[in-house]
Amino acid sequence: TKRAEIDLGALQNNYRACLEKLQQSAPNARILAVVKAGAYGHGANTCVCALLDAGCDFFAVSCLEEAYPVRNQAESADILILGYTAPQFAGKLAELNITQTLLSPDYARELAEAVKKENLAPLRVHIAVDTGMGRIGYPARTEKEIDETVKNILALRDEGAFEICGMFTHFARADEGLASSKEKTTLQAKRYRALKEKLEENGMTISFHHVCNSAAALTRPDDVFDGVRLGLCLYTPPAYTPKRLKLQPVMHL
């Protein structure tokens, strides 16, 4: 019989080691510990408990169903849903103080209508930006798209249905280690900064920016911003791990 053993001490070590490295370039940086899909098969409940004990106060999940048990364990932590939540559950997002990602302008309109219909307080949201991944987010791949997205985000701010407390993008090829991939990631970061700067020129400052996944967080210190989303490197040492960063595998078979 085979079994999987989960080393929670290794998970805590990985969290602290990553945080120490990040804060060398961004002293106030926070880690969004990604615990979707049962913490990638490691057991979400036990991993959330261990991460809380290590000082983690920000978790990312894929859906509302995954957010419930995290909120039960982490009463005061920030929780971000990276995926879709049907607008009819806007009240649950508010009740549990869950932050929802705005995946597109159309989705934002639908969710805003639900907030107003239910007479809810402004819902906490992060805005996803598509700088080149091509999956979700407000488009920001050209100067024209960036200008249009700036207008859309400013309109969201003025509408009053949301508390816009964060914005992020996802680097599509940061984990490949190729020169062409690095150029692509640099281009995505440039597009994101252009959007951020144009928003600020228009008087809108968003308090929390996060663009790095595990690969970028460990290799691109200039892109740490206010925090990073860590999934893979919390659970197993990736090939791109800096040698001085002693990450440990959490699962042993």
Side-chain angles (χ1 to χ4, degrees):
T1 300
K2 294 182 179 181
R3 68 177 184 177
E5 294 183 350
I6 307 301
D7 185 344
L8 297 177
L11 177 62
Q12 293 174 325
N13 167 80
N14 294 346
Y15 174 84
R16 293 183 179 118
C18 288
L19 184 62
E20 182 178 355
K21 176 175 173 56
L22 293 170
Q23 292 186 340
Q24 290 173 3
S25 56
N28 296 316
R30 298 169 71 192
I31 289 176
L32 287 77
V34 183
V35 293
K36 64 183 181 180
Y40 298 91
H42 292 73
N45 290 344
T46 50
C47 286
V48 167
C49 282
L51 289 165
L52 284 168
D53 288 344
C56 183
D57 60 359
F58 207 151
F59 297 91
V61 297
S62 64
C63 60
L64 183 59
E65 185 179 11
E66 291 183 342
Y68 282 116
V70 178
R71 174 56 76 219
N72 287 338
Q73 293 175 274
E75 293 183 3
S76 59
D78 287 321
I79 301 173
L80 173 65
I81 293 178
L82 296 169
Y84 176 80
T85 300
Q88 60 260 40
F89 294 110
K92 281 296 180 184
L93 293 171
E95 177 187 336
L96 296 173
N97 193 25
I98 303 294
T99 304
Q100 172 62 42
T101 294
L102 297 184
L103 305 169
S104 69
D106 288 342
Y107 176 57
R109 281 191 290 272
E110 293 172 4
L111 193 58
E113 288 174 5
V115 170
K116 292 177 180 178
K117 183 178 179 181
E118 297 185 40
N119 197 28
L120 302 173
L123 205 62
R124 289 172 58 87
V125 297
H126 282 205
I127 297 172
V129 178
D130 178 13
T131 57
M133 183 73 174
R135 187 185 297 168
I136 62 167
Y138 282 65
R141 295 159 296 187
T142 66
E143 187 173 348
K144 183 178 179 181
E145 286 184 349
I146 288 171
D147 287 341
E148 185 65 25
T149 289
V150 167
K151 291 179 183 178
N152 282 333
I153 294 175
L154 292 174
L156 277 182
R157 175 198 63 183
D158 297 339
E159 187 179 32
F162 302 122
E163 178 188 348
I164 302 173
C165 48
M167 189 169 81
F168 69 95
T169 194
H170 185 77
F171 292 144
R173 299 173 60 185
D175 60 343
E176 293 180 1
L178 304 173
S180 59
S181 303
K182 185 176 180 181
E183 292 174 5
K184 175 69 172 177
T185 303
T186 298
L187 177 59
Q188 285 191 256
K190 182 180 178 181
R191 291 167 175 168
Y192 187 89
R193 280 188 168 84
L195 174 61
K196 178 177 181 290
E197 289 168 6
K198 287 197 174 186
L199 284 169
E200 290 169 354
E201 287 170 5
N202 283 273
M204 183 172 183
T205 300
I206 295 175
S207 61
F208 195 84
H209 293 270
H210 52 108
V211 303
C212 289
N213 53 5
S214 289
L218 299 183
T219 59
R220 301 179 64 90
D222 291 342
D223 292 330
V224 169
F225 287 96
D226 304 295
V228 299
R229 303 180 304 277
L230 297 189
L232 178 62
C233 70
L234 288 179
Y235 305 103
T236 188
Y240 45 75
T241 303
K243 291 182 180 178
R244 286 177 293 178
L245 193 64
K246 296 181 179 179
L247 301 184
Q248 304 169 16
V250 174
M251 181 183 291
H252 301 271
L253 295 177

